[in-house]
């Protein structure tokens, strides 16, 4: 079995070895070439049912997913996406429109 790297050889950008950009949200181009703040939600923190705007199916509790909102629109416009739907946002349009 391979050994883990010692703590001193892990990434220095955060104590846990993960990049800090994903904790607070990273910026990515989203639907319509608008910039979006994107955050990954692990399955252990997904407590509610959401509807994905990419496929119009429900994201059940316990399923890891993506939360994205326009970078200049504020967190009130958050939408919960399946990871696959978010990754395919360039090749297809949004299925569900929201107000």
């Amino acid at each position: 079995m391979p050994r883990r790297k010692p703590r001193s050889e892990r990434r220095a950008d955060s104590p846990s070895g993960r990049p800090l950009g994903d904790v607070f949200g990273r910026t990515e181009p989203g639907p319509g070439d608008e910039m979006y703040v994107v955050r990954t939600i692990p399955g252990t923190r997904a407590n509610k049912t959401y509807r994905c705007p990419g496929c119009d199916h429900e994201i059940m509790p316990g399923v890891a997913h993506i939360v994205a909102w326009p970078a200049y629109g504020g967190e009130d416009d958050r939408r919960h996406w399946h990871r696959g739907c978010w990754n395919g946002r360039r090749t297809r349009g949004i299925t569900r429109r929201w107000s």
Side-chain angles (χ1 to χ4, degrees):
M1 178 175 6
R3 294 184 186 204
R4 293 177 58 179
K5 289 183 178 180
R7 286 187 185 258
S8 61
E9 292 181 30
R10 291 184 190 172
R11 283 193 234 171
D13 54 352
S14 72
S16 67
R18 290 183 295 163
L20 287 175
D22 197 41
V23 174
F24 301 108
R26 60 191 181 277
T27 306
E28 294 182 14
D33 292 328
E34 188 177 355
M35 291 306 287
Y36 278 70
V37 177
V38 179
R39 186 178 297 160
T40 303
I41 304 297
T44 56
R45 298 207 46 224
N47 300 324
K48 294 170 39 179
T49 301
Y50 299 99
R51 185 159 302 268
C52 175
C55 65
D56 201 29
H57 290 127
E58 288 183 344
I59 302 171
M60 301 306 288
V63 175
H65 60 279
I66 301 289
V67 177
W69 63 91
Y72 303 105
E75 287 191 31
D76 293 337
D77 295 328
R78 287 184 304 229
R79 297 294 173 250
H80 296 254
W81 295 69
H82 291 107
R83 287 183 186 189
C85 295
W86 179 255
N87 292 337
R89 68 194 178 278
R90 295 286 199 203
T91 58
R92 63 179 187 209
I94 296 175
T95 303
R96 182 178 178 96
R97 297 287 177 191
W98 56 82
S99 53

